[in-house]
mmCIF file of all heavy atoms in Angstrom:
data_model
loop_
_atom_site.group_PDB
_atom_site.id
_atom_site.type_symbol
_atom_site.label_atom_id
_atom_site.label_comp_id
_atom_site.label_asym_id
_atom_site.label_seq_id
_atom_site.Cartn_x
_atom_site.Cartn_y
_atom_site.Cartn_z
ATOM 1 N N TRP F 1 -0.347 -28.515 -15.115
ATOM 2 C CA TRP F 1 0.662 -29.241 -14.357
ATOM 3 C C TRP F 1 2.087 -29.055 -14.871
ATOM 4 O O TRP F 1 3.050 -29.379 -14.170
ATOM 5 C CB TRP F 1 0.328 -30.736 -14.330
ATOM 6 C CG TRP F 1 0.067 -31.345 -15.680
ATOM 7 C CD1 TRP F 1 -1.156 -31.606 -16.231
ATOM 8 C CD2 TRP F 1 1.030 -31.759 -16.646
ATOM 9 N NE1 TRP F 1 -1.011 -32.146 -17.483
ATOM 10 C CE2 TRP F 1 0.323 -32.259 -17.759
ATOM 11 C CE3 TRP F 1 2.423 -31.765 -16.685
ATOM 12 C CZ2 TRP F 1 0.969 -32.753 -18.903
ATOM 13 C CZ3 TRP F 1 3.068 -32.251 -17.819
ATOM 14 C CH2 TRP F 1 2.338 -32.735 -18.901
ATOM 15 N N GLY F 2 2.270 -28.524 -16.082
ATOM 16 C CA GLY F 2 3.618 -28.411 -16.637
ATOM 17 C C GLY F 2 4.526 -27.468 -15.878
ATOM 18 O O GLY F 2 5.746 -27.596 -15.926
ATOM 19 N N GLY F 3 3.937 -26.507 -15.160
ATOM 20 C CA GLY F 3 4.741 -25.583 -14.373
ATOM 21 C C GLY F 3 5.210 -24.380 -15.174
ATOM 22 O O GLY F 3 5.025 -24.297 -16.386
ATOM 23 N N GLU F 4 5.841 -23.451 -14.477
ATOM 24 C CA GLU F 4 6.272 -22.193 -15.072
ATOM 25 C C GLU F 4 7.797 -22.116 -15.089
ATOM 26 O O GLU F 4 8.461 -22.720 -14.248
ATOM 27 C CB GLU F 4 5.721 -21.007 -14.247
ATOM 28 C CG GLU F 4 4.217 -20.943 -14.213
ATOM 29 C CD GLU F 4 3.596 -22.020 -13.345
ATOM 30 O OE1 GLU F 4 4.005 -22.173 -12.183
ATOM 31 O OE2 GLU F 4 2.703 -22.740 -13.850
ATOM 32 N N ALA F 5 8.324 -21.347 -16.031
ATOM 33 C CA ALA F 5 9.759 -21.054 -16.039
ATOM 34 C C ALA F 5 9.967 -19.680 -15.435
ATOM 35 O O ALA F 5 9.089 -18.816 -15.502
ATOM 36 C CB ALA F 5 10.313 -21.105 -17.466
ATOM 37 N N ALA F 6 11.143 -19.467 -14.852
ATOM 38 C CA ALA F 6 11.432 -18.188 -14.216
ATOM 39 C C ALA F 6 12.897 -17.838 -14.421
ATOM 40 O O ALA F 6 13.764 -18.721 -14.458
ATOM 41 C CB ALA F 6 11.109 -18.254 -12.727
ATOM 42 N N ASP F 7 13.152 -16.553 -14.551
ATOM 43 C CA ASP F 7 14.526 -16.065 -14.694
ATOM 44 C C ASP F 7 15.007 -15.593 -13.321
ATOM 45 O O ASP F 7 14.529 -14.579 -12.805
ATOM 46 C CB ASP F 7 14.576 -14.917 -15.692
ATOM 47 C CG ASP F 7 15.994 -14.594 -16.134
ATOM 48 O OD1 ASP F 7 16.918 -14.782 -15.315
ATOM 49 O OD2 ASP F 7 16.182 -14.172 -17.292
ATOM 50 N N PRO F 8 15.944 -16.314 -12.697
ATOM 51 C CA PRO F 8 16.406 -15.927 -11.365
ATOM 52 C C PRO F 8 17.152 -14.597 -11.358
ATOM 53 O O PRO F 8 17.326 -13.991 -10.306
ATOM 54 C CB PRO F 8 17.321 -17.080 -10.959
ATOM 55 C CG PRO F 8 17.783 -17.670 -12.238
ATOM 56 C CD PRO F 8 16.632 -17.523 -13.194
ATOM 57 N N ARG F 9 17.580 -14.121 -12.533
ATOM 58 C CA ARG F 9 18.326 -12.864 -12.611
ATOM 59 C C ARG F 9 17.411 -11.654 -12.677
ATOM 60 O O ARG F 9 17.779 -10.560 -12.228
ATOM 61 C CB ARG F 9 19.228 -12.892 -13.858
ATOM 62 C CG ARG F 9 20.160 -14.088 -13.918
ATOM 63 C CD ARG F 9 20.691 -14.303 -15.328
ATOM 64 N NE ARG F 9 19.609 -14.513 -16.289
ATOM 65 C CZ ARG F 9 19.790 -14.694 -17.599
ATOM 66 N NH1 ARG F 9 21.025 -14.697 -18.094
ATOM 67 N NH2 ARG F 9 18.760 -14.880 -18.392
ATOM 68 N N THR F 10 16.223 -11.830 -13.237
ATOM 69 C CA THR F 10 15.345 -10.682 -13.483
ATOM 70 C C THR F 10 14.029 -10.733 -12.730
ATOM 71 O O THR F 10 13.339 -9.722 -12.646
ATOM 72 C CB THR F 10 15.023 -10.581 -14.984
ATOM 73 O OG1 THR F 10 14.263 -11.744 -15.384
ATOM 74 C CG2 THR F 10 16.304 -10.493 -15.814
ATOM 75 N N GLY F 11 13.636 -11.914 -12.219
ATOM 76 C CA GLY F 11 12.349 -12.025 -11.538
ATOM 77 C C GLY F 11 11.161 -12.112 -12.462
ATOM 78 O O GLY F 11 10.031 -11.854 -12.049
ATOM 79 N N VAL F 12 11.392 -12.493 -13.729
ATOM 80 C CA VAL F 12 10.299 -12.631 -14.697
ATOM 81 C C VAL F 12 9.808 -14.078 -14.702
ATOM 82 O O VAL F 12 10.612 -15.017 -14.743
ATOM 83 C CB VAL F 12 10.729 -12.196 -16.107
ATOM 84 C CG1 VAL F 12 9.601 -12.438 -17.114
ATOM 85 C CG2 VAL F 12 11.126 -10.721 -16.112
ATOM 86 N N LEU F 13 8.483 -14.240 -14.647
ATOM 87 C CA LEU F 13 7.836 -15.545 -14.644
ATOM 88 C C LEU F 13 7.172 -15.767 -15.990
ATOM 89 O O LEU F 13 6.486 -14.880 -16.511
ATOM 90 C CB LEU F 13 6.793 -15.599 -13.536
ATOM 91 C CG LEU F 13 6.144 -16.948 -13.217
ATOM 92 C CD1 LEU F 13 7.163 -17.883 -12.585
ATOM 93 C CD2 LEU F 13 4.955 -16.744 -12.266
ATOM 94 N N TYR F 14 7.362 -16.965 -16.576
ATOM 95 C CA TYR F 14 6.795 -17.307 -17.888
ATOM 96 C C TYR F 14 5.739 -18.389 -17.692
ATOM 97 O O TYR F 14 6.035 -19.489 -17.223
ATOM 98 C CB TYR F 14 7.897 -17.759 -18.837
ATOM 99 C CG TYR F 14 8.939 -16.687 -19.069
ATOM 100 C CD1 TYR F 14 10.078 -16.614 -18.264
ATOM 101 C CD2 TYR F 14 8.768 -15.720 -20.062
ATOM 102 C CE1 TYR F 14 11.028 -15.619 -18.454
ATOM 103 C CE2 TYR F 14 9.714 -14.720 -20.262
ATOM 104 C CZ TYR F 14 10.844 -14.672 -19.455
ATOM 105 O OH TYR F 14 11.778 -13.670 -19.639
ATOM 106 N N ILE F 15 4.490 -18.072 -18.077
ATOM 107 C CA ILE F 15 3.337 -18.923 -17.786
ATOM 108 C C ILE F 15 2.616 -19.269 -19.082
ATOM 109 O O ILE F 15 2.194 -18.374 -19.819
ATOM 110 C CB ILE F 15 2.333 -18.185 -16.868
ATOM 111 C CG1 ILE F 15 3.029 -17.545 -15.674
ATOM 112 C CG2 ILE F 15 1.220 -19.121 -16.419
ATOM 113 C CD1 ILE F 15 2.182 -16.487 -14.983
ATOM 114 N N ASN F 16 2.454 -20.543 -19.366
ATOM 115 C CA ASN F 16 1.559 -20.919 -20.457
ATOM 116 C C ASN F 16 0.201 -21.289 -19.876
ATOM 117 O O ASN F 16 0.104 -21.801 -18.759
ATOM 118 C CB ASN F 16 2.131 -22.067 -21.293
ATOM 119 C CG ASN F 16 2.396 -23.331 -20.501
ATOM 120 O OD1 ASN F 16 3.158 -23.310 -19.527
ATOM 121 N ND2 ASN F 16 1.802 -24.434 -20.915
ATOM 122 N N ALA F 17 -0.853 -20.976 -20.637
ATOM 123 C CA ALA F 17 -2.199 -21.111 -20.084
ATOM 124 C C ALA F 17 -3.184 -21.621 -21.120
ATOM 125 O O ALA F 17 -3.060 -21.343 -22.316
ATOM 126 C CB ALA F 17 -2.684 -19.753 -19.560
ATOM 127 N N ASN F 18 -4.183 -22.374 -20.646
ATOM 128 C CA ASN F 18 -5.359 -22.708 -21.435
ATOM 129 C C ASN F 18 -6.394 -21.612 -21.235
ATOM 130 O O ASN F 18 -6.521 -21.055 -20.147
ATOM 131 C CB ASN F 18 -5.938 -24.057 -20.999
ATOM 132 C CG ASN F 18 -5.033 -25.210 -21.359
ATOM 133 O OD1 ASN F 18 -4.350 -25.175 -22.377
ATOM 134 N ND2 ASN F 18 -5.009 -26.237 -20.524
ATOM 135 N N ASP F 19 -7.148 -21.309 -22.295
ATOM 136 C CA ASP F 19 -8.112 -20.205 -22.222
ATOM 137 C C ASP F 19 -9.380 -20.578 -22.974
ATOM 138 O O ASP F 19 -9.817 -19.889 -23.895
ATOM 139 C CB ASP F 19 -7.491 -18.927 -22.803
ATOM 140 C CG ASP F 19 -8.059 -17.668 -22.162
ATOM 141 O OD1 ASP F 19 -9.106 -17.775 -21.499
ATOM 142 O OD2 ASP F 19 -7.466 -16.600 -22.332
ATOM 143 N N VAL F 20 -9.955 -21.729 -22.581
ATOM 144 C CA VAL F 20 -11.209 -22.189 -23.167
ATOM 145 C C VAL F 20 -12.226 -22.391 -22.053
ATOM 146 O O VAL F 20 -11.866 -22.515 -20.874
ATOM 147 C CB VAL F 20 -11.031 -23.495 -23.973
ATOM 148 C CG1 VAL F 20 -10.095 -23.277 -25.139
ATOM 149 C CG2 VAL F 20 -10.526 -24.618 -23.087
ATOM 150 N N ALA F 21 -13.500 -22.413 -22.413
ATOM 151 C CA ALA F 21 -14.582 -22.521 -21.438
ATOM 152 C C ALA F 21 -15.080 -23.957 -21.326
ATOM 153 O O ALA F 21 -15.113 -24.696 -22.314
ATOM 154 C CB ALA F 21 -15.734 -21.597 -21.835
ATOM 155 N N TRP F 22 -15.441 -24.331 -20.132
ATOM 156 C CA TRP F 22 -16.110 -25.596 -19.858
ATOM 157 C C TRP F 22 -17.412 -25.276 -19.123
ATOM 158 O O TRP F 22 -17.624 -24.139 -18.686
ATOM 159 C CB TRP F 22 -15.247 -26.501 -18.980
ATOM 160 C CG TRP F 22 -13.944 -26.957 -19.575
ATOM 161 C CD1 TRP F 22 -12.948 -26.175 -20.086
ATOM 162 C CD2 TRP F 22 -13.490 -28.305 -19.679
ATOM 163 N NE1 TRP F 22 -11.893 -26.955 -20.504
ATOM 164 C CE2 TRP F 22 -12.198 -28.270 -20.260
ATOM 165 C CE3 TRP F 22 -14.028 -29.541 -19.337
ATOM 166 C CZ2 TRP F 22 -11.458 -29.419 -20.506
ATOM 167 C CZ3 TRP F 22 -13.282 -30.688 -19.573
ATOM 168 C CH2 TRP F 22 -12.018 -30.627 -20.163
ATOM 169 N N THR F 23 -18.264 -26.266 -18.955
ATOM 170 C CA THR F 23 -19.458 -26.098 -18.135
ATOM 171 C C THR F 23 -19.633 -27.315 -17.241
ATOM 172 O O THR F 23 -19.092 -28.387 -17.496
ATOM 173 C CB THR F 23 -20.739 -25.906 -18.974
ATOM 174 O OG1 THR F 23 -21.048 -27.126 -19.665
ATOM 175 C CG2 THR F 23 -20.586 -24.770 -19.964
ATOM 176 N N GLY F 24 -20.405 -27.118 -16.181
ATOM 177 C CA GLY F 24 -20.732 -28.209 -15.271
ATOM 178 C C GLY F 24 -21.968 -27.863 -14.480
ATOM 179 O O GLY F 24 -22.414 -26.709 -14.467
ATOM 180 N N GLY F 25 -22.529 -28.850 -13.820
ATOM 181 C CA GLY F 25 -23.712 -28.620 -13.007
ATOM 182 C C GLY F 25 -23.950 -29.770 -12.061
ATOM 183 O O GLY F 25 -23.134 -30.698 -11.957
ATOM 184 N N LEU F 26 -25.055 -29.735 -11.353
ATOM 185 C CA LEU F 26 -25.439 -30.777 -10.422
ATOM 186 C C LEU F 26 -26.802 -31.329 -10.806
ATOM 187 O O LEU F 26 -27.603 -30.649 -11.455
ATOM 188 C CB LEU F 26 -25.496 -30.225 -8.994
ATOM 189 C CG LEU F 26 -24.187 -29.735 -8.383
ATOM 190 C CD1 LEU F 26 -24.455 -29.054 -7.050
ATOM 191 C CD2 LEU F 26 -23.200 -30.875 -8.213
ATOM 192 N N THR F 27 -27.046 -32.563 -10.408
ATOM 193 C CA THR F 27 -28.362 -33.163 -10.593
ATOM 194 C C THR F 27 -28.644 -34.050 -9.401
ATOM 195 O O THR F 27 -27.715 -34.541 -8.736
ATOM 196 C CB THR F 27 -28.434 -33.962 -11.905
ATOM 197 O OG1 THR F 27 -29.794 -34.297 -12.185
ATOM 198 C CG2 THR F 27 -27.613 -35.237 -11.836
ATOM 199 N N ALA F 28 -29.896 -34.250 -9.091
ATOM 200 C CA ALA F 28 -30.270 -35.062 -7.937
ATOM 201 C C ALA F 28 -29.933 -36.526 -8.192
ATOM 202 O O ALA F 28 -30.072 -37.031 -9.318
ATOM 203 C CB ALA F 28 -31.752 -34.899 -7.639
ATOM 204 N N VAL F 29 -29.479 -37.205 -7.150
ATOM 205 C CA VAL F 29 -29.231 -38.640 -7.236
ATOM 206 C C VAL F 29 -30.576 -39.353 -7.313
ATOM 207 O O VAL F 29 -31.463 -39.137 -6.478
ATOM 208 C CB VAL F 29 -28.421 -39.128 -6.016
ATOM 209 C CG1 VAL F 29 -28.284 -40.640 -6.042
ATOM 210 C CG2 VAL F 29 -27.052 -38.458 -5.996
ATOM 211 N N LYS F 30 -30.725 -40.190 -8.327
ATOM 212 C CA LYS F 30 -32.010 -40.852 -8.561
ATOM 213 C C LYS F 30 -32.155 -42.090 -7.694
ATOM 214 O O LYS F 30 -31.184 -42.783 -7.393
ATOM 215 C CB LYS F 30 -32.137 -41.235 -10.034
ATOM 216 C CG LYS F 30 -32.123 -40.045 -10.985
ATOM 217 C CD LYS F 30 -32.183 -40.521 -12.432
ATOM 218 C CE LYS F 30 -32.139 -39.338 -13.391
ATOM 219 N NZ LYS F 30 -32.167 -39.776 -14.802
ATOM 220 N N SER F 31 -33.374 -42.378 -7.320
ATOM 221 C CA SER F 31 -33.668 -43.623 -6.605
ATOM 222 C C SER F 31 -34.013 -44.709 -7.616
ATOM 223 O O SER F 31 -34.389 -44.428 -8.750
ATOM 224 C CB SER F 31 -34.837 -43.410 -5.642
ATOM 225 O OG SER F 31 -35.995 -43.020 -6.356
ATOM 226 N N GLY F 32 -33.878 -45.948 -7.216
ATOM 227 C CA GLY F 32 -34.257 -47.063 -8.069
ATOM 228 C C GLY F 32 -33.225 -47.461 -9.095
ATOM 229 O O GLY F 32 -33.517 -48.261 -9.990
ATOM 230 N N GLU F 33 -32.002 -46.909 -9.001
ATOM 231 C CA GLU F 33 -30.954 -47.312 -9.935
ATOM 232 C C GLU F 33 -30.399 -48.676 -9.558
ATOM 233 O O GLU F 33 -30.480 -49.108 -8.405
ATOM 234 C CB GLU F 33 -29.810 -46.295 -9.917
ATOM 235 C CG GLU F 33 -30.143 -44.937 -10.470
ATOM 236 C CD GLU F 33 -28.963 -43.986 -10.374
ATOM 237 O OE1 GLU F 33 -28.129 -44.158 -9.471
ATOM 238 O OE2 GLU F 33 -28.881 -43.073 -11.212
#
């Protein structure tokens, strides 16, 4: 969300990035909760 900086004179874009892995998945909704 921090956004990127850019040089209007040269057209260069400066980007900071995260480069770590996450995981996720799905599971069935249980009955009787």
Side-chain angles (χ1 to χ4, degrees):
W1 52 260
E4 298 73 51
D7 194 329
R9 305 162 301 178
T10 65
V12 176
L13 189 69
Y14 299 91
I15 312 163
N16 59 302
N18 291 327
D19 209 345
V20 298
W22 296 55
T23 68
L26 296 172
T27 192
V29 174
K30 298 177 181 179
S31 60
E33 292 178 332

